[in-house]
Amino acid sequence: MVMGINGNAIISEINEIARTYVPRDDYILKTYRLLRMDDDNEQSDMESFVSNDPRTLWNMSTYLLTPRPPQFQLSKKDGSQFGRDLRQWSQRIQDHFIRVWSQQNRKASRQGRNGFTRSLVGSFLSSGWFFVSYGTGSPLPFVDYWSPLSTFPVWSEYGLSRLARRRQISVSEAMRRADANGWDKPDASNGSSQIWEYHLYKSFNEAEFSHTVVMGTKVVKPWTLHSGVIPVVAGIAGGLPGNQDLDRDWPKNQGQPVLATNERVYNSQNRQHTFLQQMIRDTANPRWFERSSGQPILRPEDMFRRGAIFRGGVNDDIGPLAVPPIPVEARSSLFDVGNMIQRGGVSDITFGNVQQQVSSVLMSQAAESTAQLLDPYKT
């Protein structure tokens, strides 16, 4: 290997590619706050509301799209099926991949993660992007998925032409990866416990590609030519048609999470519920008017204490200030928002939330709407 090569030029190229995807990354983090059920309307000593609709939609979608068990179907490069003489061997290979996939799920569990398949599907649904790396090296084939926040593709009319990846890993993990892959050791003399890892792939045609790795600023794997295509399946789902002429923020809108249709509606629902709860509290805890010529009669700490005694003099008076009634339109507005959320997500009927008798036609329509919602993600 070439020693002592500075990787700043490679890092600059990766950062230039990554800048294109800043709108996408910001949008993924924004919608992920809905999944985490972050309270954006929180105020000190005030009621606030966070809907669980985004989380239940993601849970249901992940459940419906996670295969149990995973299925593999081998075919020829042109898409045709194998003949009878090869069908037995293809079945053995398919069974082998099912066992490998099960091993991946068990391995993920030992690493303190959810099952590999569920994590892959969940990440896909929460971002609208997927990057699955694969290999057929010794001793067994492997497969892994990469976070879209650290992976940046460049497509051409011939397919994936460049792929950049950058992430922070521990120095110990960097050393382990260098040993396992036969790369040079990274420079860890600055005393930091973390180091940046950069990968850059370039495809020249469908027959070969080149790959390099930088850790810190040191090239630990110089440009190396490999046969085949870039070993990463990259793609998108959901969102709007990707057209750079129509949309300046096309990376944000081209691939979108399953929550994208209802994202603004969820935020509006949280604000309206928060406002309604605050109105209910103000109605139940009115402001008070006190007329007294001597010492104050009311003290905040005694206002709602059981058995409290208030004393006043002649012509002293206390009483609640009248507050406007809660508008009847508040509840109907929330009902309209709830219906809108169901149109953009999974119907309440799918969750078994049935308030009255439901016909088979309505049940089939609810199932069809769920299938339509998830169809773009059945990649």
Side-chain angles (χ1 to χ4, degrees), residues 325-376:
I326 297 177
V328 295
E329 293 82 3
R331 188 63 186 171
S332 61
S333 176
L334 289 174
F335 182 77
D336 293 338
V337 171
N339 286 336
M340 193 179 300
I341 287 175
Q342 291 190 67
R343 290 196 296 272
V346 177
S347 170
D348 288 347
I349 298 176
T350 308
F351 292 102
N353 185 12
V354 180
Q355 304 294 333
Q356 58 187 3
Q357 187 174 1
V358 178
S359 67
S360 60
V361 176
L362 187 58
M363 287 291 293
S364 64
Q365 288 178 340
E368 182 67 25
S369 67
T370 303
Q372 179 221 355
L373 170 71
L374 299 180
D375 184 70

Side-chain angles (χ1 to χ4, degrees), residues 168 171 188-195:
Q168 265 194 315
V171 172
S189 59
N190 59 359
S192 175
S193 61
Q194 299 287 314
I195 191 171

Side-chain angles (χ1 to χ4, degrees), residues 18 21-40 54 123-129 147-152 166 251-253 255-260 263 267:
Y21 289 93
V22 170
R24 177 201 68 175
D25 297 348
D26 291 342
Y27 186 71
I28 291 175
L29 293 174
K30 179 182 178 182
T31 53
Y32 195 75
R33 291 178 58 86
L34 293 171
L35 277 181
R36 288 191 316 200
M37 299 177 64
D38 290 349
D39 192 351
D40 293 331
S123 174
F124 178 37
L125 288 170
S126 64
S127 64
W129 293 74
S147 168
L149 296 177
S150 62
T151 314
F152 315 98
R166 65 179 183 190
K252 180 185 78 172
N253 298 321
Q256 290 186 333
V258 71
L259 309 178
E263 180 232 337
N267 291 324

